[in-house]
Amino acid sequence: MRIRTLTLAAASGAALLAAGVLPASASGSAGPASTQEGSVSAADLLAKVTSCSQISNGKYKTDDETSANIPVCGKNGAVFWKADMDIDCDGQRTSKCNEDTDPWYQDDTAFHQSNGKPLKADSLPYVVVPSASSIWKYSSAGIKGGGVVAVIYNNKVEYAVVGDTGPTKIIGEASYATAQALGIDSNPETGGADSGVTYILFKNSQVSPIESHSAAVTLGDKLAKQFLQNN
């Protein structure tokens, strides 16, 4: 779990402006062959989350130094929020995710693979949910480890799982692999997106095994179709 400060975010933004837009492969591995997972379009999903029926008791910050202005919203069969994306590189130590690449690196995740090992942030798309607090308790909304999440950015849909928990007052974080798939700079120290990311978490869903991305895509596509029908 990383907590990006405004100073770091600003420095990153300035660097990107100076260098121009970086391709997805700039951070060390090629982007996905397809910009769209499943058969449901980003536009169709976003059309269902234009208004918010707030279910959280308060609002979240996107970073340590920002104001709390992000609510968790409820829909039939799902919850959602619109925030930034900080990069989580926690879990199994790899060449891309370790103490040298990520100053905030931790060698564990809240939820584990079927073999008991932590998740792999650089290969598994997963999303971080805020730890339970007086603001919101994710489990009370039917959200669980391994639950399916549709992550939408720049007209792209990526299916991920709920894989880790973060600070109680901050929202908007996903794994290195999630960022890669969406064309977001996945550098755990300087990457991420400052805004424009929508997270739709499907209630009472669970991918088994949690580490199977193909299973997440199959289930996610099914639940996304139901989401469109029920909202």
Side-chain angles (χ1 to χ4, degrees):
M1 164 65 207
R2 66 185 286 248
I3 302 175
R4 183 177 55 179
T5 64
L6 287 179
T7 302
L8 179 57
S12 174
L16 286 173
L17 287 173
V21 178
L22 295 175
S25 58
S27 52
S29 64
S34 171
T35 58
Q36 168 76 36
E37 289 194 329
S39 60
V40 178
S41 72
D44 285 346
L45 287 171
L46 290 175
K48 299 295 184 179
V49 294
T50 55
S51 61
C52 175
S53 176
Q54 183 172 331
I55 62 170
S56 55
N57 294 323
K59 297 181 179 181
Y60 288 95
K61 300 179 178 183
T62 56
D63 292 298
D64 246 353
E65 299 171 13
T66 61
S67 57
N69 58 7
I70 307 295
V72 176
C73 312
K75 299 292 282 189
N76 289 329
V79 304
F80 74 92
W81 55 81
K82 299 180 180 183
D84 65 344
M85 183 185 287
D86 289 339
I87 309 301
D88 191 326
C89 226
D90 293 343
Q92 291 189 48
R93 188 176 285 101
T94 67
S95 61
K96 297 183 180 71
C97 291
N98 55 63
E99 295 89 344
D100 294 328
T101 63
D102 181 3
W104 304 275
Y105 175 75
Q106 297 178 28
D107 62 0
D108 200 5
T109 49
F111 307 106
H112 292 168
Q113 295 181 165
S114 55
N115 63 3
K117 293 182 178 180
L119 304 180
K120 284 186 177 181
D122 66 356
S123 60
L124 180 69
Y126 71 72
V127 165
V128 180
V129 296
S131 296
S133 72
S134 59
I135 301 176
W136 184 58
K137 186 177 180 182
Y138 64 86
S139 59
S140 67
I143 305 304
K144 60 186 75 175
V148 183
V149 187
V151 188
I152 305 164
Y153 178 76
N154 197 22
N155 205 37
K156 301 175 185 177
V157 179
E158 175 69 10
Y159 289 106
V161 293
V162 175
D164 204 359
T165 57
T168 57
K169 296 182 180 180
I170 294 178
I171 206 164
E173 185 175 14
S175 68
Y176 182 109
T178 310
Q180 278 273 294
L182 290 169
I184 294 172
D185 183 354
S186 56
N187 185 300
E189 185 171 6
T190 60
D194 289 332
S195 62
V197 185
T198 299
Y199 303 81
I200 302 175
L201 293 76
F202 298 109
K203 296 179 180 179
N204 302 310
S205 63
Q206 193 162 33
V207 175
S208 183
I210 190 174
E211 66 268 21
S212 174
H213 181 59
S214 61
V217 175
T218 299
L219 182 56
D221 192 50
K222 176 184 176 181
L223 294 174
K225 291 175 182 175
Q226 293 177 3
F227 179 73
L228 296 185
Q229 292 173 353
N230 296 335
N231 289 279

